[in-house]
Amino acid sequence: MLNITKGKIARPQKVVIYGSEGIGKSSLAAQFPDPLFIDTEGGTSHMDVRRIDKPQTWEELLGIVKEVAATKDVCKTLVLDTADWAEQLVTAYLCTKYKQNSIESFGYGKGYTYLGEEFARLLGAFDTVLASGIHVVVTAHAKMRKFEQPDEMGAYDRWEMKLSKQVAPLLKEWCDLLLFCNYQTYIVTSESNAKKAQGGKRVMYTSHHPAWDAKNRVQLPEVLELDYKHIAHLFSPGQSAPKQEAQPKSAPAPQAQPTTQPTPSQEVAPEDESVADILRGLLDEKGVKEEELRQVLKARGRAEADIPFEDYSPDFFFGYVAKYWEQITAIIEQNRHAKG
């Protein structure tokens, strides 16, 4: 006999948050109800959060997720930080199991097929956590890839999760809410028709765009400030969504411009965080000291190495620091190891 029901069903949420290095993915996840972090990359050491010891193997990670599902009231939100580091554990596991030097050594794409199948086991374990009444949040880094449409001339850059082509679609399909976090840059046109980047703020995109993947199943606005309060009502029963201020329409993403990053732009710069505030937020997010950043800039002959953050131009910050932040932090890590 058919058991037919009607109406919305309240259940835990499946959330994926991805974005550029240092944008604030982990900080956003830390604001979810009673979070417990599985820190696969060791990136939460500067944060006051509850965490499980970093898993060293793929089997250990799966075991942790299953144990959380079986442990009542251990948390209200389980956070995997990050998916791309978890994928590295899968790769190491498969190479050891099949005695291969790398995922490419399997031949004919078999290694990537195994990779997708194995990662699906993790998503299945997450479903068990959800069945226990616990939200699941997965963070991931973003990368930019040149995208070409077969029926169009030219190409443009778009943001994607820093995952293999087998794993990324699984994660996007699995989640209820896919949030892409980035800096929203504002473009001002001068009297001479020259365009210049001004200001900027951290935002999260909730809907699909030619320049990125995002989705939501709860009719969220397309763009929200990167603040948990704008999505808190989805995880706290009875709490209403905050009213959204009207925003000017974003300009369309550029088409057929290989060297242009397709970011939303607006005609007038708002009164938002200054470049110095955003930069200090980046430093705090990654536990980087101001002097460490200045050493990297000085090694590359940048005049900004010796001036206050308040004097940094938006062009320099968005066009250099934010753009190459992942590489900058990697150099800082190398410098730390070199010093012992």
Side-chain angles (χ1 to χ4, degrees):
M1 183 176 180
L2 298 177
N3 182 22
I4 300 175
T5 61
K6 182 181 179 181
K8 297 180 179 180
I9 300 176
R11 64 168 177 79
Q13 299 291 313
K14 300 178 283 186
V15 184
V16 174
I17 303 170
Y18 79 106
S20 54
E21 184 77 18
I23 191 68
K25 303 179 292 294
S26 301
S27 296
L28 178 62
Q31 298 178 62
F32 278 70
D34 187 22
L36 176 62
F37 277 72
I38 303 177
D39 189 353
T40 59
E41 67 172 45
T44 66
S45 57
H46 63 289
M47 298 171 60
D48 185 14
V49 295
R50 292 194 306 139
R51 65 182 67 82
I52 298 171
D53 289 343
K54 179 179 178 180
Q56 302 300 314
T57 65
W58 175 241
E59 298 97 321
E60 185 180 347
L61 173 58
L62 288 175
I64 289 172
V65 175
K66 292 175 181 177
E67 188 172 352
V68 169
T71 306
K72 187 177 181 180
D73 299 328
V74 66
C75 64
K76 293 181 180 178
T77 305
L78 179 64
V79 181
L80 175 65
D81 189 39
T82 60
D84 30 303
W85 280 69
E87 188 181 84
Q88 292 182 26
L89 294 178
V90 186
T91 301
Y93 165 77
L94 291 172
C95 290
T96 301
K97 179 179 179 180
Y98 293 101
K99 299 179 180 179
Q100 298 291 330
N101 294 325
S102 72
I103 200 71
E104 300 282 352
S105 302
F106 286 80
Y108 302 103
K110 287 184 178 179
Y112 290 103
T113 300
Y114 293 151
L115 184 62
E117 292 174 350
E118 196 65 34
F119 201 89
R121 290 179 59 199
L122 177 62
L123 299 182
F126 281 150
D127 287 338
T128 306
V129 173
L130 292 160
S132 300
I134 300 172
H135 303 294
V136 176
V137 176
V138 179
T139 68
H141 293 97
K143 64 179 180 180
M144 192 171 283
R145 182 175 71 88
K146 188 170 293 184
F147 183 75
E148 297 186 29
Q149 293 178 314
D151 56 343
E152 299 287 344
M153 293 295 290
Y156 58 90
D157 292 337
R158 76 187 307 269
W159 288 98
E160 297 181 346
M161 284 190 281
K162 196 176 179 180
L163 296 167
S164 67
K165 292 182 180 180
Q166 285 68 30
V167 170
L170 291 174
L171 196 55
K172 288 187 290 185
E173 182 180 353
W174 170 82
C175 67
D176 300 312
L177 185 61
L178 176 63
L179 300 174
F180 170 57
C181 303
N182 201 4
Y183 295 99
Q184 189 177 52
T185 307
Y186 298 86
I187 306 299
V188 174
T189 304
S190 66
E191 294 180 358
S192 61
N193 205 34
K195 296 184 182 297
K196 185 175 182 180
Q198 293 284 337
K201 63 179 178 180
R202 302 182 192 193
V203 297
M204 47 188 174
Y205 297 98
T206 67
S207 299
H208 180 77
H209 188 280
W212 58 79
D213 290 314
K215 73 173 186 179
N216 78 91
R217 295 172 175 166
V218 288
Q219 297 182 332
L220 290 172
E222 292 185 1
V223 185
L224 294 168
E225 290 186 14
L226 189 54
D227 192 323
Y228 176 73
K229 69 181 181 182
H230 296 298
I231 57 174
H233 62 285
L234 303 177
F235 310 94
S236 302
Q239 183 173 342
S240 59
K243 293 182 179 180
Q244 297 295 318
E245 296 181 2
Q247 296 188 21
K249 290 185 178 180
S250 297
Q255 299 293 324
Q257 295 183 16
T259 59
T260 302
Q261 177 179 330
T263 53
S265 60
Q266 297 179 336
E267 291 296 325
V268 182
E271 294 182 0
D272 280 306
E273 290 181 290
S274 67
V275 164
D277 290 337
I278 297 175
L279 179 52
R280 290 193 174 96
L282 280 176
L283 296 178
D284 291 342
E285 175 72 21
K286 297 301 293 183
V288 173
K289 296 179 181 179
E290 180 176 330
E291 183 57 32
E292 290 179 312
L293 172 61
R294 294 190 182 280
Q295 287 176 0
V296 174
L297 297 179
K298 191 170 184 178
R300 272 143 187 77
R302 301 293 313 201
E304 290 83 0
D306 298 319
I307 66 175
F309 288 166
E310 285 72 16
D311 293 337
Y312 281 8
S313 68
D315 285 347
F316 168 69
F317 175 72
F318 291 106
Y320 187 84
V321 178
K323 182 177 181 180
Y324 300 109
W325 183 243
E326 186 171 350
Q327 293 92 323
I328 290 173
T329 53
I331 293 171
I332 289 173
E333 284 294 327
Q334 291 174 4
N335 292 342
R336 288 175 177 173
H337 288 307
K339 293 180 180 178

